[in-house]
Amino acid sequence: MANTVLIGAQWGDEGKGKIIDVLTEKVDWVVRYQGGSNAGHTVEIGSERYVLHLVPSGILRPGTRNVIGNGVVVDPLALVKELGDLEQRGVNLAGRFFLSDRAHLVMPYHSLLDASREQAASAKTKIGTTKRGIGPTYGDKAARTGLRAGDLLDELFPDLLKRRVEEANRVLGAWGEAPLDYARLLADCQAATAKLAPYITDAIPLLNEAIARNESVLFEGAQGTMLDIDFGTYPFVTSSSATAGGACTGAGVAPHRIDRVIGVVKAYTTRVGEGPFPTELTDATGELIRKIGHEFGATTGRPRRCGWFDVVVARYSAMLNGIDAWALTKLDVLDAMPVIKICTAYECAGQRLTSVPANIRQLERCTPVYEDFPGWQCKTTEATSFAELPAGAQAYVRRLEELTGVKVGILSVGPRRASTMQLWPLAG
Ligand code: IMP
């Protein structure tokens, strides 16, 4: 299979884990390139359910090798736990899992600062973060005060950590938080290092040499385009590059090594946390979508906000990421709807907008322009080919393709591996 970037085209939780799991059947390597344990990919294999936060989903396919790239921020204690859980369930990691020595470390002070900032924020400025320390860790990276996975192996690590903890304790004190115990944190880090050391490596030659040997790579995006630090609904975003470009900087692979980009979109839209969401449904229909779609965060368990499919967002995402095909997920969640709405544009102060404005105050004032679509009101979950779908569901998919200008390459109508159809061959 070609080298592929797979990204979320909405606000995250599009069902990337499941699509990645299906695609990994054909790839040699799976790479995470941004985000941290704020992500939560759920994969169901038979009766087994796996929730992965840091480890790439390819770990569940025995023939696949998996890399956490330099663009990811890694909580070493959380990673040790995740790896331990996988090993306990019989997943072999030796020679199959690698952690870039350039990946930045999430330390307990980052999570404490994340939580303190959120707690001190007003209802209007609260971001609704996962409180996993993501923002403060990327903040330290940009401020050049971060610690990286490779530092864990350095004899100077105790000194580096000491300086960081002293500074963090001054900041935590200003937020009214108790200081962190350096000795205890060092001991925790050393225990984690003992487990992680065999996996920490320079992932740049590892990946580029694999590509030179014609091995295929799947770059697994986390979160979604509308949460991207540059292109999302800033400041209600995460702190990393969740768009396709992030794959190059977050993995150390050149742009011309990427062959294609697949964008994952749900047949409707969800968002967790605060921030503008033009097609949000705060009524019984939104509640119904949440219930049928089990729309609760994999990482925090928070109920997700639900709404109709937003073509403005999808087109923006297609343009930014250069999306070659959609992986359209959770079509079955709409099975019972008598009427389905598709947002084709926004109305804002008498103006019609067809692109996402940068200014979130403007976006908040936008009202969606809807096209009504008749529901098919029968089950799609058992379908194994496009032709087996009810005519209404087929028409809905075709309409989304028409409005977004991108074809649906993969269609998912249920959580199982078997409920995923490939509408055109992805091999090669
Ligand atoms: P942070 O990434 O924890 O800093 O959170 C920033 C924003 O991104 C919040 O609105 C979170 O709810 C959202 N977010 C972070 N990770 C995910 C994810 O994996 N899925 C959906 N939303 C996410």
Side-chain angles (χ1 to χ4, degrees):
M1 199 172 104
N3 296 328
T4 304
V5 179
L6 187 126
I7 54 97
Q10 295 159 321
W11 275 276
D13 308 317
E14 296 91 351
K16 294 180 289 295
K18 198 217 163 178
I19 303 299
I20 290 162
D21 174 59
V22 171
L23 293 178
T24 47
E25 202 183 350
K26 299 192 186 85
V27 295
D28 300 304
W29 296 80
V30 183
V31 183
R32 271 280 309 267
Y33 60 88
Q34 45 77 223
S37 50
N38 49 348
H41 286 171
T42 309
V43 183
E44 288 182 27
I45 304 171
S47 57
E48 294 279 312
R49 190 166 180 270
Y50 298 83
V51 181
L52 299 166
H53 294 288
L54 281 163
V55 180
S57 317
I59 205 73
L60 303 174
R61 294 269 189 196
T64 310
R65 276 159 292 168
N66 297 270
V67 178
I68 294 183
N70 57 279
V72 179
V73 291
V74 177
D75 176 340
L77 312 180
L79 180 58
V80 165
K81 184 172 178 319
E82 197 167 318
L83 293 175
D85 288 349
L86 284 168
E87 274 185 315
Q88 239 177 23
R89 293 174 77 173
V91 176
N92 174 34
L93 302 171
R96 298 190 54 230
F97 173 71
F98 306 90
L99 168 61
S100 165
D101 51 6
R102 289 173 170 83
H104 275 252
L105 297 177
V106 182
M107 289 282 115
Y109 48 83
H110 292 125
S111 313
L112 285 168
L113 279 171
D114 193 357
S116 304
R117 271 188 201 145
E118 282 285 278
Q119 210 169 1
S122 69
K124 263 192 125 34
T125 58
K126 199 185 281 292
I127 289 167
T129 74
T130 58
K131 301 189 182 138
R132 299 288 159 102
I134 305 300
T137 308
Y138 280 110
D140 269 357
K141 176 178 177 176
R144 297 154 298 179
T145 51
L147 295 169
R148 308 198 290 182
D151 293 333
L152 290 170
L153 307 177
D154 195 309
E155 59 192 17
L156 285 181
F157 183 74
D159 293 342
L160 296 173
L161 181 68
K162 193 156 200 265
R163 265 184 275 149
R164 298 278 57 91
V165 171
E166 281 168 2
E167 189 182 305
N169 279 344
R170 284 195 290 276
V171 180
L172 285 170
W175 283 101
E177 294 284 344
L180 276 172
D181 180 344
Y182 162 70
R184 199 165 145 196
L185 178 55
L186 179 63
D188 286 347
C189 288
Q190 285 170 332
T193 305
K195 296 255 163 58
L196 297 179
Y199 307 115
I200 300 174
T201 189
D202 185 348
I204 302 170
L206 187 73
L207 276 174
N208 283 284
E209 285 166 16
I211 292 172
R213 289 193 300 270
N214 266 333
E215 293 174 6
S216 56
V217 184
L218 177 65
F219 298 89
E220 170 182 344
Q223 289 86 45
T225 299
M226 299 305 289
L227 290 171
D228 182 278
I229 184 79
D230 286 280
F231 305 113
T233 45
Y234 191 91
F236 298 99
V237 291
T238 191
S239 298
S240 65
S241 299
T243 38
C248 296
T249 51
V253 168
H256 62 287
R257 299 279 177 245
I258 311 264
D259 300 301
R260 68 165 164 233
V261 181
I262 297 177
V264 189
V265 276
K266 265 181 203 168
Y268 49 95
T269 313
T270 63
R271 165 162 212 171
V272 214
E274 309 303 322
F277 177 3
T279 63
E280 179 171 16
L281 293 164
T282 50
D283 58 4
T285 308
E287 192 61 48
L288 190 65
I289 294 177
R290 183 175 309 119
K291 201 167 151 230
I292 299 174
H294 307 293
E295 294 296 355
F296 295 89
T299 299
T300 59
R302 290 180 289 175
R304 296 180 185 139
R305 298 155 67 192
C306 298
W308 297 119
F309 190 91
D310 186 335
V311 170
V312 182
V313 163
R315 286 181 66 91
Y316 174 71
S317 201
M319 181 162 60
L320 273 171
N321 294 293
I323 292 172
D324 297 299
W326 295 125
L328 181 67
T329 62
K330 295 191 125 177
L331 183 69
D332 54 301
V333 173
L334 301 181
D335 282 355
M337 300 288 161
V339 175
I340 297 165
K341 287 175 185 282
I342 306 174
C343 165
T344 55
Y346 301 148
E347 284 283 343
C348 187
Q351 262 191 316
R352 190 163 278 221
L353 302 183
T354 52
S355 187
V356 180
N359 185 326
I360 55 154
R361 264 82 52 196
Q362 190 184 3
L363 187 58
E364 270 159 1
R365 286 194 299 272
C366 286
T367 51
V369 178
Y370 283 121
E371 177 177 302
D372 282 5
F373 203 89
W376 45 93
Q377 294 194 279
C378 56
K379 270 182 92 162
T380 55
T381 18
E382 303 305 322
T384 55
S385 71
F386 192 71
E388 282 175 31
L389 288 173
Q394 291 188 19
Y396 181 69
V397 173
R398 294 298 178 227
R399 186 68 185 133
L400 294 187
E401 288 182 327
E402 215 166 75
L403 288 166
T404 58
V406 176
K407 288 271 183 214
V408 174
I410 303 173
L411 180 63
S412 165
V413 290
R416 293 166 303 130
R417 267 182 182 169
S419 324
T420 306
M421 348 171 172
Q422 296 207 357
L423 303 194
W424 42 257
L426 288 163

